[in-house]
Amino acid sequence: MAQLLEQSKKVIEAQLNGTSMRAISGSMIAYEGNVQFKSAGFGGGEGVLAGMKRRATGEKLSLMECQGHGRVFFAVNGQDVTVVNLNNETLQVESQQLLAYAGNLRTDVRFAGVSGASSGQGLFTTTVTGQGQVALLSAGGPLIHLEVSPQYPLIVDPDAFVAAQGNVQSSFITSNMGWRDMVGAGSGEAFQIRWDGQGVVLIQPAER
C-alpha cells in the first residue's frame, strides 16, 4: 500500500513501492523514480448519477492516479496539509479540501446541504470509506480538531468545515439573521452545520 507522509507543513509525500494512489489533478509538484501518471476520472462512480455529481461539484474533483516505484510530492496553493488514517471508517470531506488518498478506500460524492443559501460552499461532500490514508488541505493554518459528543453538539460555519470522522451526523440550521449578518459580512439566508453524535470535526481557521 502506498504511504502518505507530511513531508512539511505544506507538502504531502507519497511513497510508492509498486503501488498506486490517487490525488487531485494538478496537485503534483515533483516526483522521483519510475512513476506513471494517468487520469482517474472523477470521484463518485459511474453512470447518470455520477454525471450529475460531476456537474454539481465541478472540475475540482478531477483525480489522477500515480503508480510505480518512487516518491511523489503534492501541494496546493501553499495550503497546510494533514494526513488522516482510516481504519475501516468513513471520513466526510468538503470536496475542495481533499488532496490525496491511498489504501483500500472507496469514494462517493453526496449532497450535504440546502439550496438557496447565501454560502456556495459546503453543499457537496466527498465520503472516503475503508482502510488507508487521506490527505487534507486547510487554509489559514493547520486543521483544528473539535470533539463532538452526545452532550455537546457542534455548530460550524460551512466555509470553515473541512472534514468529519466518527459516528457523527450533520443537519442544517437556517435563519434570516446569521452570524455573518451580525458583523455585516453577509446578506440573505445564512446557514450553519450542526454535528451530533460521537466523533471529531476538523475545521480550518480561514473561510473559503
Side-chain angles (χ1 to χ4, degrees):
M1 185 172 69
Q3 185 78 14
L4 301 183
L5 304 172
E6 295 175 15
Q7 205 272 342
S8 74
K9 292 182 179 180
K10 310 288 187 181
V11 178
I12 289 293
E13 174 187 336
Q15 298 181 348
L16 303 178
N17 184 22
T19 49
S20 66
M21 50 82 63
R22 291 187 173 189
I24 297 302
S25 297
S27 61
M28 189 273 288
I29 57 171
Y31 77 96
E32 61 183 27
N34 183 18
V35 182
Q36 293 79 43
F37 303 88
K38 66 178 182 180
S39 173
F42 295 77
E46 300 299 331
V48 175
L49 181 58
M52 293 175 63
K53 293 173 181 176
R54 293 171 192 165
R55 287 192 293 272
T57 54
E59 295 297 318
K60 296 181 181 64
L61 268 185
S62 175
L63 299 173
M64 63 179 177
E65 184 174 352
C66 313
Q67 185 172 14
H69 294 79
R71 300 194 301 165
V72 188
F73 302 89
F74 303 93
V76 175
N77 297 330
Q79 295 187 68
D80 283 68
V81 294
T82 302
V83 173
V84 176
N85 296 306
L86 296 183
N87 184 18
N88 295 317
E89 301 170 275
T90 294
L91 186 72
Q92 303 174 54
V93 185
E94 160 61 40
S95 297
Q96 295 184 41
Q97 309 305 126
L98 177 65
L99 173 58
Y101 59 92
N104 184 20
L105 298 170
R106 62 182 183 275
T107 63
D108 194 13
V109 181
R110 70 181 184 91
F111 184 70
V114 291
S115 60
S118 60
S119 171
Q121 310 298 336
L123 298 180
F124 282 84
T125 60
T126 299
T127 58
V128 186
T129 305
Q131 187 158 8
Q133 295 176 294
V134 182
L136 303 175
L137 296 165
S138 61
L143 285 173
I144 300 166
H145 295 63
L146 299 176
E147 297 285 339
V148 179
S149 67
Q151 296 82 11
Y152 297 101
L154 181 69
I155 311 299
V156 175
D157 185 327
D159 281 341
F161 169 73
V162 173
Q165 186 175 9
N167 184 22
V168 292
Q169 301 81 39
S170 63
S171 58
F172 287 83
I173 301 172
T174 61
S175 67
N176 290 323
M177 181 61 72
W179 56 46
R180 293 169 186 263
D181 301 305
M182 295 292 284
V183 296
S187 60
E189 184 180 51
F191 74 102
Q192 294 87 43
I193 309 174
R194 172 176 168 147
W195 293 93
D196 291 274
Q198 189 79 48
V200 177
V201 172
L202 310 178
I203 65 173
Q204 61 182 6
E207 295 180 343
R208 282 180 291 275

